Amino acid sequence: MKRKIWGNGYNHLEIEHLDNHDLSSESEKKVLELAEKEARNKDIIIIQDARHGMMTPSLINKIKNLTKEHNKKIIANSQKTQRESNHLDYRGVDLICMNMKEAKMIEPGLSLQNV
């Protein structure tokens, strides 16, 4: 649930109430069924992981396997929020998007000179 407080046409304050619990196995199954249906008709699968519990390690692995079965490319973007980084769960995807802070969580010695 989100609540925004506006004044003079500007958003001054935003209050969010989030449930960051992982998906139930039943919900995970429904997401995977939808992903499999869509994978048949798409060239690329994109995962946008906002780190609120939807993309469990189990679901990530199942979607990675699904894309391999259907010979599809996979792009992932996972945000580092209050929860610890899960970027390594996306190991093996075709492309992963992250900022420098997120990359340094995986490779602490990384700098722009190394890239």
Side-chain angles (χ1 to χ4, degrees):
M1 181 176 96
K2 252 184 210 181
R3 180 171 177 228
K4 294 183 179 186
I5 299 172
W6 292 82
N8 298 328
Y10 295 97
N11 181 8
H12 290 289
L13 178 66
E14 185 172 308
I15 301 168
E16 296 183 15
H17 298 279
L18 300 171
D19 178 359
N20 285 331
H21 292 92
D22 287 349
L23 281 183
S24 68
S25 58
E26 182 179 313
S27 294
E28 187 176 295
K29 183 179 177 182
K30 289 178 183 178
V31 170
L32 191 60
E33 287 171 1
L34 179 62
E36 183 155 19
K37 179 182 172 187
E38 291 297 320
R40 293 183 189 124
N41 306 316
K42 308 298 186 256
D43 296 325
I44 299 173
I45 304 300
I46 300 173
I47 297 174
Q48 172 58 42
D49 186 351
R51 302 291 291 131
H52 294 300
M54 181 171 168
M55 297 307 298
T56 62
S58 169
L59 184 57
I60 293 167
N61 282 329
K62 289 174 183 174
I63 291 176
K64 288 192 308 187
N65 290 335
L66 174 76
T67 59
K68 286 179 188 173
E69 288 172 22
H70 292 280
N71 198 29
K72 306 295 180 174
K73 300 284 185 190
I74 185 169
I75 298 172
N77 181 25
S78 180
Q79 299 173 356
K80 167 62 180 101
T81 60
Q82 307 89 304
R83 302 175 102 184
E84 70 180 53
S85 170
N86 73 336
H87 289 93
L88 291 177
D89 291 342
Y90 290 99
R91 198 174 330 173
V93 301
D94 295 290
L95 176 68
I96 185 164
C97 305
M98 64 180 74
N99 62 34
M100 184 59 79
K101 183 178 180 181
E102 293 164 339
K104 284 184 177 184
M105 290 177 180
I106 297 170
E107 186 63 44
L110 190 66
S111 71
L112 288 176
Q113 289 83 20
N114 305 69
V115 182

